[in-house]
Amino acid sequence: MADDTQAVKTPASEVAPAEHTRSGTYYRPNVDIVEKADELIVRADVPGATADGIDVKFEDGTLSIHAKVPPRNQDVDFLVREYGVGDFYREFRVNETVDVARISAELADGVLTLHLPKIEAAKPRKIPVKT
């Protein structure tokens, strides 16, 4: 009986990207994502982070958020410690309808808000009907 199995090489474009791994303690921030007519809004909870400790990057269709949080209470001997403190990290795949050059971010009260404006071609528009 002949062996009909063949090794098939999958093109690089069809291979899923590798998942990023990071050392240390990282928390996945909770987010809300809202779609409006002209933009997407991402709100991420990053308590303890400061604006200069937040790194937002967009590369190869991936939006990444890394918020560094300074250590706290290192000189305290806790009897019970339920609230973890550490850096935040989260990634999102973003489609081509976002105008990358106009992405903006702001931080207020421990909430990072990202504005991802849509390109003009992706915005809804009303089509007038002529008679």
Side-chain angles (χ1 to χ4, degrees), residues 2-130:
D3 186 5
D4 291 335
T5 59
Q6 296 178 355
V8 178
K9 186 173 182 180
T10 304
S13 62
E14 295 180 20
V15 176
E19 186 171 332
H20 294 286
T21 57
R22 304 181 73 79
S23 61
T25 302
Y26 286 86
Y27 295 94
R28 183 178 168 171
N30 291 326
V31 299
D32 289 332
I33 301 175
V34 177
E35 182 172 14
K36 294 190 172 189
D38 58 343
E39 70 176 343
L40 296 171
I41 299 173
V42 178
R43 291 185 184 100
D45 291 335
V46 291
T50 59
D52 57 343
I54 297 177
D55 187 23
V56 178
K57 291 184 181 176
F58 184 86
E59 185 175 359
D60 296 328
T62 301
L63 178 72
S64 65
I65 301 168
H66 181 204
K68 297 177 185 174
V69 178
R72 66 174 175 89
N73 298 327
Q74 290 182 333
D75 58 341
V76 175
D77 291 328
F78 289 93
L79 293 176
V80 176
R81 185 174 184 170
E82 295 181 343
Y83 183 82
V85 175
D87 294 352
F88 294 96
Y89 188 79
R90 188 94 186 247
E91 285 187 346
F92 300 94
R93 294 291 298 164
V94 178
N95 67 24
E96 60 277 351
T97 62
V98 172
D99 185 351
V100 178
R102 294 180 36 226
I103 294 175
S104 63
E106 57 197 45
L107 178 68
D109 299 325
V111 178
L112 175 66
T113 302
L114 303 174
H115 297 273
L116 290 78
K118 294 180 181 179
I119 59 173
E120 287 299 319
K123 292 180 184 177
R125 62 185 182 102
K126 183 162 176 63
I127 310 299
V129 178
K130 299 177 184 176

